[in-house]
């Protein structure tokens, strides 16, 4: 399948995305099952199509684990996957809730039940620099077991791209877009990378309306130090993109620091300055624009109990909460205060 095949319009991309999940469900093991289930509970259309085979696989996996534990056999499961599945088994398939959404003032909240099962990964280490060398011994996208989670790989606008499913998605058609995977590049955008992402957002946004790309720099909650973006499709855009904000000429100041550019050269000039100043940042790339969010380093701001850390998604106005009570309780003022807390000095 070429890039032109699945990126020619939204329905083609969404169809290929779902077809890939169907194929993923044929793989053995807890990891592929959890990935497919998490993507299905996020999207009602995918869930409706895959509910029956997911229920069948869930029952089989649960019975297999019960027999293994009863006979004293541990198996060869990844510890995190086993922990997540045991939580699901305790609740039961019918108890697994679809992702819920609500607007709170200008912000968008979601309670993501499946994502809340994974262990919290709050990074407390304060990085000294905005770039760290790629470490082939650390977690990265070259690991063999990850290759079955690859949705598509090939040449895209002149560069090699490997597109992986997000195992615990928090945006529609959410994927991890790894650039030049085999080159082992760290999570750091060079001029060439910046310009490529700018072109990628422009061209794919025209073919698939609502295609956007998020980016976390090193020190701004980048979870994997291997060059990648987070691509998703949100036709309504993110809250930071609304015209009410002063960076779009509106009369309301955005609570986080945001620098918006419609000129590629100016966007890179600003990003280059952030690199020179060792200033961590998050970013959102849109067709013909970029939003850069200089922010305080991870580990220097206390993370609220309901969050696993503010990334590009939160800086752009979306918030993921880890339990239903907080989903109902949080108000616009509390969310705004969290954005204000990460503004750099």
């Amino acid at each position: 399948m070429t890039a032109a095949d699945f990126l020619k319009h939204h329905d083609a991309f969404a169809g290929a995305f779902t077809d890939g999940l169907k194929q993923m469900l044929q793989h053995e093991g807890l990891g592929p099952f959890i990935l497919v289930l998490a993507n299905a509970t996020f999207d009602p259309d995918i869930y409706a199509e895959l509910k029956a085979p997911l229920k069948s696989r869930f029952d089989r996996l649960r019975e297999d684990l019960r027999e293994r534990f009863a006979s004293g056999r541990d198996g060869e499961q990844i510890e995190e996957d086993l922990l997540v599945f045991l939580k699901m088994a305790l609740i039961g398939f019918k108890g697994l809730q679809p992702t819920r959404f609500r607007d709170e003032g200008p912000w968008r909240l979601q309670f993501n039940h499946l994502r809340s099962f994974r262990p919290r990964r709050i990074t407390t280490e304060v990085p000294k620099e905005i770039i760290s060398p790629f470490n082939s011994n650390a977690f990265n996208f070259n690991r063999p077991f990850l290759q079955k989670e690859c949705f598509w790989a090939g040449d895209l606008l002149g560069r090699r791209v490997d597109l992986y499913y997000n195992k615990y998605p928090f945006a529609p058609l959410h994927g991890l877009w790894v650039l030049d995977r085999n080159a082992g590049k760290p999570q750091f955008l060079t001029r060439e990378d910046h310009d490529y992402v700018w072109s990628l957002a422009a061209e794919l946004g025209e073919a698939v309306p609502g295609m956007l790309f998020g980016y976390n720099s090193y020190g701004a909650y980048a979870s994997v130090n291997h060059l990648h973006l987070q691509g998703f499709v949100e036709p309504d855009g993110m809250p930071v993109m609304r015209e009410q904000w002063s960076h779009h000429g509106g009369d309301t100041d955005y609570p986080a620091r945001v620098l918006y550019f419609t000129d590629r050269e100016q966007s890179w000039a600003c990003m280059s300055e952030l690199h020179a100043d060792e200033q961590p940042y998050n970013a959102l790339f849109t067709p013909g624009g970029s939003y850069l969010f200089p922010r305080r380093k991870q580990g220097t701001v206390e993370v609220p109990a309901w969050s696993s850390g503010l990334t590009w998604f939160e800086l752009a106005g979306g918030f993921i909460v880890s339990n239903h009570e907080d989903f109902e309780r949080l108000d616009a003022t509390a969310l705004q205060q969290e954005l204000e807390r990460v503004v750099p000095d």
Side-chain angles (χ1 to χ4, degrees):
M1 178 172 57
T2 67
D5 291 332
F6 73 88
L7 288 172
K8 54 189 175 184
H9 52 73
H10 177 277
D11 290 345
F13 183 56
F17 192 92
T18 303
D19 289 343
L21 290 173
K22 293 177 183 177
Q23 297 176 21
M24 182 81 62
L25 198 54
Q26 305 307 311
H27 290 285
E28 296 297 325
L30 297 179
F33 170 78
I34 292 170
L35 183 152
V36 178
L37 181 60
N39 276 269
T41 55
F42 187 87
D43 188 315
D45 292 334
I46 296 176
Y47 186 76
E49 191 166 352
L50 298 182
K51 179 179 179 180
L54 281 168
K55 175 63 165 60
S56 176
R57 176 61 63 87
F58 176 86
D59 291 341
R60 183 161 68 83
L61 287 169
R62 183 176 58 181
E63 181 61 22
D64 179 64
L65 286 177
R66 189 196 67 77
E67 292 179 358
R68 283 178 177 272
F69 292 146
S71 63
R73 292 179 294 126
D74 189 18
E76 299 180 353
Q77 305 294 343
I78 297 174
E79 288 297 321
E80 179 179 309
D81 291 339
L82 179 58
L83 175 60
V84 170
F85 188 82
L86 289 176
K87 291 179 181 180
M88 294 192 296
L90 185 63
I91 294 174
F93 189 83
K94 290 184 178 180
L96 302 176
Q97 302 176 43
T99 302
R100 296 183 58 192
F101 305 88
R102 74 178 180 89
D103 290 335
E104 178 60 39
W107 317 117
R108 185 177 303 153
L109 261 68
Q110 69 170 267
F111 168 55
N112 194 317
H113 200 200
L114 266 291
R115 188 176 175 85
S116 72
F117 291 165
R118 70 174 192 167
R120 284 169 63 97
R121 297 172 177 169
I122 294 177
T123 302
T124 57
E125 179 184 355
V126 182
K128 295 180 180 179
E129 298 177 319
I130 198 173
I131 183 173
S132 179
F134 175 80
N135 182 358
S136 61
N137 295 319
F139 182 89
N140 63 76
F141 295 106
N142 290 332
R143 293 294 178 88
F145 75 89
L146 278 178
Q147 303 321 306
K148 59 178 173 289
E149 299 179 8
C150 187
F151 164 38
W152 178 85
D155 181 271
L156 186 59
L157 303 184
R159 287 183 68 169
R160 165 80 181 201
V161 173
D162 289 68
L163 173 53
Y164 293 79
Y165 286 104
N166 192 313
K167 191 168 185 177
Y168 297 96
F170 51 86
L173 302 175
H174 193 176
L176 304 175
W177 298 60
V178 184
L179 307 184
D180 306 321
R181 176 174 65 85
N182 292 325
K185 297 179 178 180
Q187 185 72 346
F188 182 83
L189 291 175
T190 64
R191 171 63 187 265
E192 179 186 12
D193 300 325
H194 169 276
D195 290 355
Y196 177 76
V197 178
W198 186 281
S199 298
L200 192 68
E203 296 210 22
L204 298 191
E206 182 177 349
V208 183
M211 176 73 79
L212 306 171
F213 292 92
Y215 174 81
N216 298 318
S217 81
Y218 194 69
Y221 290 102
S223 59
V224 182
N225 188 27
H226 194 172
L227 186 58
H228 68 286
L229 313 162
Q230 298 192 38
F232 63 108
V233 179
E234 184 55 80
D236 294 332
M238 294 295 291
V240 73
M241 298 167 63
R242 295 173 183 164
E243 295 181 355
Q244 70 194 71
W245 306 115
S246 56
H247 55 263
H248 283 306
D251 55 9
T252 305
D253 290 334
Y254 199 74
R257 186 182 177 197
V258 55
L259 305 167
Y260 174 62
F261 300 96
T262 57
D263 180 83
R264 187 180 68 177
E265 296 299 318
Q266 293 178 0
S267 175
W268 167 248
C270 178
M271 184 176 289
S272 181
E273 289 181 7
L274 296 177
H275 292 167
D277 292 340
E278 295 290 343
Q279 172 62 64
Y281 62 93
N282 305 104
L284 178 69
F285 289 88
T286 69
S290 69
Y291 299 81
L292 304 183
F293 306 94
R295 44 87 54 75
R296 295 178 65 183
K297 290 182 179 179
Q298 64 190 44
T300 65
V301 181
E302 183 179 357
V303 176
W306 48 264
S307 174
S308 59
L310 273 62
T311 68
W312 66 265
F313 188 70
E314 285 77 18
L315 271 292
F319 292 86
I320 309 164
V321 297
S322 56
N323 65 72
H324 189 267
E325 189 174 299
D326 287 327
F327 174 74
E328 297 289 354
R329 174 187 61 84
L330 287 168
D331 60 21
T333 299
L335 299 173
Q336 176 172 324
Q337 289 173 346
E338 292 302 324
L339 290 176
E340 292 170 344
R341 291 177 64 206
V342 302
V343 174
D345 297 331

